[in-house]
Amino acid sequence: MLGSVRNLALCLILSCALLLRAPAFAAEHVVLVSIDGFAAYHLLNAELELPNIRRLIREGAWAASSETVFPSVTHPSHTTILTGVEPRLHGVLSNSLTNQKTGETFHPTNKPRTEIVTVDTLFDAAKKKGLSTASFFWPETKDDPSVDFNIPEVFTDDHKGDIRAVKKSVLDELTKAGVPIDLYFEWYGSERMPAADMILADAAAYTIKTRKPGLLAIHILATDEAQHTYGPHHYEAQAALTNADACVGKLMEAVEEAGLKDSTTFIVTADHGFHSVEWEMNIRQPFEQAGLLDKIELGGGGWGVRIVRKPSFSAADRGKLEQVLEQLEQNPWINRVIRPDELHALGLPNFGETIYANAEYIVLPDIDTYLSVKPGGKPMERVRLAQPSHSHGYLPTHPRMFTSLLLSGADVRKGALLGHVRNLDIAPTIARVLGLNMPKMSGRVLTEALTTH
């Protein structure tokens, strides 16, 4: 009996010693998948066929919803996912930026990443640790020195993917391996876009099997195109989401074939949700009646009218502007007015903090209404649009903009339900899993999803 006790104690001591020597995390690879427009409510649709994604959920952790950033559009959100900070800190404020000094308007993803993203990314941190990296049409990765194998998201003037932004060595290697990467760019933006996504997934799968990158990110896009065209609940949108699931399946299969299943963490997420709008209201008249049109710039529309005061704006005009804004706030179709001291809370810079800031005030409608400031029309009267607009860009706190988020694989707690989280939390969690040093992030580590905190 005494010998058995001694043997048991010895086993316990040896087990503890092995645990202490074991690394805190077994993950050596992260596959980060963004499915554009993959809303949280899509996962709640039991009729939507997502066998691979649902398998990852069964084997891992799932967030009931994830809150994106403002504006809830592709490029600010994807940069937040990769940096863990809000747009006012990483610099990508919208899908299109205007330099207030020069007047140049450009797509931020067409500029070199080091020029447009003002903070370190997960790719930077991975390279500093000595990990290999790969990226497949992830926004804001042009000429990124921290991405080893890169198909950057860069656009031509007619908004096609620009194959000229890809290194010839990358194109040649993929073509030699039987991946028709040229067709990805030929079919991008066409009715064959789902097939293009499959080609991009093939390219990523090839890279997993041949290069075994420590960090790989891929952006799947046909889901956004289909929802903009048909609406988020149309069968064409559902087909695009099922196609995206098949792309995820290709990556899962590649991880298994490469012998990396036990050391790979999958993270599948999105940049924004979707909502269909059928109404519009013109709010130009109150500003015109107050004599402010030559004192302010009215810009934007849709889910946000931007206001910037011109140099001619005087102290006397301040009261007039406030009266108009208070009048608008009384309208049942106006959600709120964002004033200068509230911009930081939305994750946006104040107007003077960057040459790319485009608003001092923002008038936000309710989610079912677009705003217009064009001359003419029926002033301050909500009218039905000729065709519904299927879109995103609304306040990230609205459930229709919530995104999907799941984690699965190495170091992920099986069966964990995370509740409501934020896209800001993705980068800190990846950094913890891979042991990366990124101390200045705004989000938190999703410790409740991890087996080791």
Side-chain angles (χ1 to χ4, degrees):
M1 180 66 178
L2 184 58
S4 299
V5 172
R6 286 176 177 168
N7 289 338
L8 178 59
L10 181 59
C11 288
L12 288 172
I13 291 171
L14 290 173
S15 297
C16 290
L18 289 173
L19 286 172
L20 288 172
R21 291 174 58 191
F25 290 90
E28 298 175 1
H29 312 271
V30 166
V31 175
L32 173 61
V33 183
S34 170
I35 300 175
D36 207 300
F38 187 25
Y41 58 75
H42 285 312
L43 274 178
L44 300 178
N45 181 1
E47 296 181 357
L48 186 56
E49 295 187 20
L50 304 169
N52 296 296
I53 289 172
R54 298 196 193 284
R55 174 187 160 190
L56 289 174
I57 289 174
R58 288 194 303 272
E59 297 176 354
W62 169 49
S65 58
S66 183
E67 185 177 310
T68 185
V69 296
F70 185 78
S72 52
V73 293
T74 298
H75 294 265
S77 179
H78 275 89
T79 309
T80 288
I81 290 170
L82 212 60
T83 62
V85 299
E86 55 268 31
R88 74 179 183 89
L89 296 177
H90 63 56
V92 182
L93 305 179
S94 183
N95 284 354
S96 177
L97 298 180
T98 297
N99 186 317
Q100 301 302 331
K101 290 185 178 180
T102 66
E104 178 194 13
T105 296
F106 59 92
H107 204 308
T109 202
N110 281 8
K111 297 281 190 179
R113 193 273 296 176
T114 53
E115 178 180 330
I116 203 67
V117 180
T118 58
V119 298
D120 283 351
T121 71
L122 285 168
F123 288 130
D124 292 327
K127 287 306 297 177
K128 288 176 182 176
K129 192 182 178 183
L131 300 179
S132 61
T133 56
S135 178
F136 297 87
F137 225 66
W138 194 275
E140 281 68 55
T141 54
K142 181 182 179 182
D143 300 332
D144 193 331
S146 293
V147 181
D148 298 319
F149 199 84
N150 194 8
I151 298 179
E153 182 175 280
V154 177
F155 297 118
T156 60
D157 291 340
D158 58 351
H159 205 70
K160 292 283 189 178
D162 195 346
I163 196 170
R164 296 170 300 178
V166 188
K167 289 181 178 180
K168 185 177 183 299
S169 59
V170 172
L171 297 174
D172 289 347
E173 181 176 343
L174 289 172
T175 301
K176 185 177 180 180
V179 179
I181 193 63
D182 57 318
L183 291 180
Y184 175 78
F185 293 91
E186 182 179 333
W187 292 347
Y188 181 92
S190 74
E191 70 279 359
R192 294 182 176 180
M193 200 162 178
D197 279 343
M198 294 294 282
I199 292 173
L200 194 68
D202 280 336
Y206 161 81
T207 307
I208 289 170
K209 288 183 283 188
T210 58
R211 294 174 177 262
K212 298 179 173 59
L215 175 62
L216 181 147
I218 180 172
H219 179 202
I220 297 172
L221 276 148
T223 44
D224 184 74
E225 186 83 8
Q227 291 183 89
H228 275 302
T229 304
Y230 304 105
H233 303 295
H234 193 274
Y235 71 87
E236 290 276 7
Q238 294 188 350
L241 287 162
T242 299
N243 183 79
D245 178 86
C247 292
V248 173
K250 282 181 175 288
L251 304 178
M252 295 166 63
E253 183 179 344
V255 165
E256 293 196 25
E257 290 182 7
L260 305 177
K261 188 174 187 302
D262 293 336
S263 59
T264 297
T265 303
F266 273 90
I267 296 180
V268 180
T269 188
D271 46 358
H272 52 71
F274 258 94
H275 187 66
S276 300
V277 181
E278 297 188 7
W279 300 91
E280 184 178 62
M281 183 172 67
N282 193 312
I283 65 169
R284 181 185 180 89
Q285 184 189 46
F287 297 98
E288 185 174 17
Q289 290 177 337
L292 290 169
L293 289 185
D294 61 342
K295 303 295 183 68
I296 62 173
E297 292 181 7
L298 287 177
W303 275 327
V305 167
R306 305 185 304 272
I307 302 170
V308 176
R309 293 170 290 186
K310 294 182 178 180
S312 59
F313 190 91
S314 67
D317 297 322
R318 187 183 304 274
K320 295 178 184 179
L321 177 58
E322 191 58 37
Q323 286 181 350
V324 171
L325 297 179
E326 290 176 359
Q327 176 187 343
L328 291 174
E329 287 178 315
Q330 300 305 310
N331 188 287
W333 312 121
I334 299 296
N335 180 302
R336 61 188 287 203
V337 174
I338 305 299
R339 290 170 171 78
D341 60 352
E342 299 174 296
L343 290 170
H344 276 198
L346 270 182
L348 297 178
N350 290 325
F351 189 71
E353 289 181 329
T354 169
I355 57 174
Y356 300 123
N358 61 9
E360 292 182 283
Y361 300 82
I362 307 174
V363 182
L364 299 171
D366 75 352
I367 197 169
D368 294 313
T369 308
Y370 272 173
L371 298 180
S372 171
V373 291
K374 296 178 181 178
K378 296 182 178 181
M380 298 306 297
E381 181 179 337
R382 202 166 77 136
V383 297
R384 189 178 291 275
L385 293 168
Q387 296 289 335
S389 178
H390 313 295
S391 195
H392 52 85
Y394 198 66
L395 287 168
T397 51
H398 196 287
R400 296 295 293 179
M401 295 298 110
F402 289 168
T403 66
S404 297
L405 176 62
L406 64 94
L407 304 88
S408 191
D411 303 319
V412 176
R413 190 183 302 277
K414 183 176 181 180
L417 180 60
L418 308 185
H420 183 69
V421 299
R422 301 176 300 168
N423 280 18
L424 280 165
D425 304 330
I426 295 172
T429 303
I430 292 175
R432 175 67 64 87
V433 168
L434 288 178
L436 308 180
N437 182 27
M438 294 184 70
K440 296 182 179 180
M441 293 183 287
S442 305
R444 70 177 182 88
V445 177
L446 297 174
T447 54
E448 63 270 38
L450 305 177
T451 54
T452 305
H453 295 179

